[in-house]
């Protein structure tokens, strides 16, 4: 029983280490970009806005969507 529990623990440990390493590997280009921006010889004047795959140097316009008023149903009864 302890051998099975030990194997399950080691399997979970290896899987979690694998997931952590894969996450770091996938994030490495962005991490490198941030390090390059922080230690660049001249500071950039514009801010970078990153939304998923879309990258811009200027802030995008904010579009406000109006909320539709909710209907008040006073005649409804709770079940």
């Amino acid at each position: 029983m302890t051998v099975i529990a030990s194997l399950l623990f080691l399997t979970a440990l290896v899987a979690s280490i694998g997931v952590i390493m894969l996450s770091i590997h996938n994030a490495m280009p962005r991490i490198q970009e941030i390090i390059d921006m922080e230690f660049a010889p001249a500071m950039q004047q514009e801010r970078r806005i990153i939304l998923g795959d879309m990258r811009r140097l200027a802030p995008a316009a904010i579009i406000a969507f109006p909320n539709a008023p909710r209907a008040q149903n006073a005649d409804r009864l709770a079940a």
Side-chain angles (χ1 to χ4, degrees):
M1 191 65 166
T2 57
V3 173
I4 295 172
S6 298
L7 288 175
L8 285 173
F9 174 74
L10 288 176
T11 304
L13 184 65
V14 168
S16 65
I17 290 172
V19 168
I20 291 170
M21 295 301 290
L22 185 63
S23 297
I24 291 174
H25 176 71
N26 289 341
M28 210 53 178
R30 178 68 182 139
I31 293 170
Q32 191 66 36
E33 183 180 344
I34 290 173
I35 290 172
D36 291 342
M37 282 180 6
E38 286 295 322
F39 295 108
M43 294 296 293
Q44 294 181 349
Q45 296 299 324
E46 67 275 354
R47 294 181 141 205
R48 295 192 97 158
I49 296 176
I50 297 173
L51 303 170
D53 293 335
M54 183 175 65
R55 296 174 184 215
R56 295 182 179 181
L57 293 178
I62 298 174
I63 301 171
F65 292 102
N67 292 335
R70 295 184 181 180
Q72 298 293 331
N73 295 332
D75 297 337
R76 297 179 82 181
L77 298 175

